[in-house]
Amino acid sequence: MEKVAVVTGSSSGMGFETSLALARDGFYTFATVRNVKKSDKILQIAKKEKLNLEIIELDVDNEKSISSAIEKILAKKQRIDVLVNNAGWGLFGSVEDVPLKEFRAQFETNFFGIISIIQKVAPVMRKQGSGIIVNISSVAGKIGFPGSPAYISSKFALEGLSESLRYELGQFGVKVIIIEPGVVKTNFFSSMKVAEPKPDSPYKEITQKVIMGVKMMAELGTPPSEVAKVILNAIKEENPRPRYIVGNDAQMFLEAKKAKTDTEFENYLKKELFSS
Ligand SMILES: NC(=O)c1ccc[n+]([C@@H]2O[C@H](COP(=O)([O-])OP(=O)(O)OC[C@H]3O[C@@H](n4cnc5c(N)ncnc54)[C@H](OP(=O)(O)O)[C@@H]3O)[C@@H](O)[C@H]2O)c1
């Protein structure tokens, strides 16, 4: 039976690579994008390789757009086997510097939009008695650091949502997994937003240091195709693990977090991040 996959944020980076990896593996893939003008490249590749890949407009921030996209997919294929909640972006700036409206906008895409999609897709998977939801979190979903609390807390929230969903949906044969990449070389770092610091902000320096640090790491970041490979392998496992860490940087930080007490880890991170 033909399996159907839906990937959000397929215009670039991990979503782009994951849509292609799934289609190359035989999934009928709905590569969703919020701006269809950005789908030329993926469509060209799909055409050249004769892949079953279709573009559907889906803006994660827009309830109507989500409903319309899922309705179109179900009208065409009547099932969804894989949902990859990938679309997301990063907001930088300290808690005091990020206006609440922007904090909420960060959560709209990285958290509430995902809930809205899951509320529409989970009943379909439940009725099928099968399906897998892949939520793209981050090392930032497990480790807090200064300069990006809005992004970090949106990913922490996604981790909690995913863990809870595993119990709720697991009993109906629907799997939920979390992907935790470290720094990946994508458009994330050119698309990220930085809140204007208040004139008297004492956080300008630390925020700039974090931004420069992640941008430097991005140059040597994991290729997004590596993340796509991990996702593809994970969804094909009989019993996928709750979490998949991708990248040596992610592995290093998350192992350190596991091995140390909270205070030890905080001191370790301060040294790693702030010793210049
Ligand atoms: N890069 C990293 O180091 C890293 C590490 C860990 C986790 N992540 C996570 O990985 C995911 C993918 O990011 P990426 O690194 O591949 O960055 P990317 O190349 O910038 O891709 C982000 C994708 O999300 C889309 N998007 C943003 N807001 C959207 C919305 N409201 N509705 C629909 N699509 C939307 C973007 O569309 P447009 O092209 O229209 O903007 C783009 O397709 C994100 O959830 C990110 O938080 C990234």
Side-chain angles (χ1 to χ4, degrees):
M1 188 191 38
E2 183 184 54
K3 295 228 168 162
V4 177
V6 179
V7 182
T8 65
S10 298
S11 65
S12 68
M14 296 182 224
F16 178 93
E17 294 293 344
T18 303
S19 283
L20 286 173
L22 288 164
R24 284 176 183 136
D25 198 69
F27 286 87
Y28 192 101
T29 303
F30 290 95
T32 75
V33 294
R34 66 172 158 182
N35 179 358
V36 287
K37 287 183 186 143
K38 285 192 182 177
S39 48
D40 288 355
K41 195 173 159 200
I42 198 166
L43 279 175
Q44 263 175 23
I45 298 172
K47 194 174 169 197
K48 197 170 155 208
E49 297 184 26
K50 297 190 172 58
L51 302 175
N52 278 328
L53 183 148
E54 201 174 314
I55 298 292
I56 297 262
E57 188 176 329
L58 191 162
D59 181 344
V60 171
D61 294 351
N62 183 325
E63 187 65 28
K64 273 194 190 144
S65 169
I66 296 173
S67 298
S68 151
I70 302 299
E71 276 165 24
K72 277 183 200 153
I73 289 165
L74 291 174
K76 179 137 190 195
K77 289 291 174 189
Q78 295 82 45
R79 61 182 296 114
I80 297 174
D81 298 283
V82 180
L83 166 66
V84 183
N85 285 309
N86 162 79
W89 57 281
L91 174 58
F92 285 70
S94 72
V95 171
E96 286 185 50
D97 287 329
V98 173
L100 195 54
K101 201 173 156 206
E102 289 182 37
F103 227 109
R104 288 190 204 277
Q106 175 75 108
F107 266 71
E108 197 54 49
T109 317
N110 292 8
F111 184 63
F112 290 112
I114 293 176
I115 297 180
S116 170
I117 297 174
I118 289 174
Q119 284 179 339
K120 290 163 188 66
V121 173
V124 177
M125 290 183 168
R126 245 189 324 105
K127 278 181 205 136
Q128 289 167 187
S130 67
I132 182 161
I133 297 173
V134 181
N135 289 335
I136 310 297
S137 175
S138 167
V139 171
K142 293 298 278 298
I143 295 174
F145 50 88
S148 185
Y151 180 68
I152 288 166
S153 49
S154 73
K155 293 295 188 186
F156 264 67
L158 182 58
E159 293 268 344
L161 175 78
S162 309
E163 277 194 13
S164 308
L165 268 174
R166 283 179 59 80
Y167 296 99
E168 291 185 1
L169 289 176
Q171 55 183 328
F172 303 108
V174 180
K175 298 162 186 166
V176 180
I177 65 168
I178 306 167
I179 307 293
E180 291 169 343
V183 174
V184 184
K185 201 171 178 180
T186 66
N187 290 349
F188 181 87
F189 302 94
S190 51
S191 309
M192 71 191 216
K193 292 182 188 162
V194 183
E196 183 66 36
K198 294 191 173 123
D200 59 347
S201 171
Y203 308 106
K204 284 180 199 163
E205 200 184 321
I206 188 82
T207 302
Q208 270 317 310
K209 207 167 175 177
V210 168
I211 292 170
M212 273 167 58
V214 290
K215 282 193 169 172
M216 263 163 62
M217 282 171 79
E219 287 306 307
L220 300 169
T222 302
S225 54
E226 279 299 310
V227 184
K229 223 182 275 172
V230 171
I231 294 172
L232 183 62
N233 289 337
I235 62 171
K236 288 162 78 177
E237 279 177 39
E238 179 78 20
N239 292 307
R241 302 196 305 265
R243 290 187 166 79
Y244 291 80
I245 298 166
V246 195
N248 293 336
D249 54 342
Q251 202 79 41
M252 183 184 83
F253 282 120
L254 291 172
E255 270 172 17
K257 173 136 194 183
K258 228 177 200 172
K260 294 176 194 296
T261 65
D262 285 353
T263 307
E264 281 168 354
F265 184 73
E266 210 173 272
N267 290 333
Y268 158 81
L269 204 60
K270 275 183 191 160
K271 238 198 214 154
E272 286 289 321
L273 290 177
F274 309 124
S275 57
S276 44

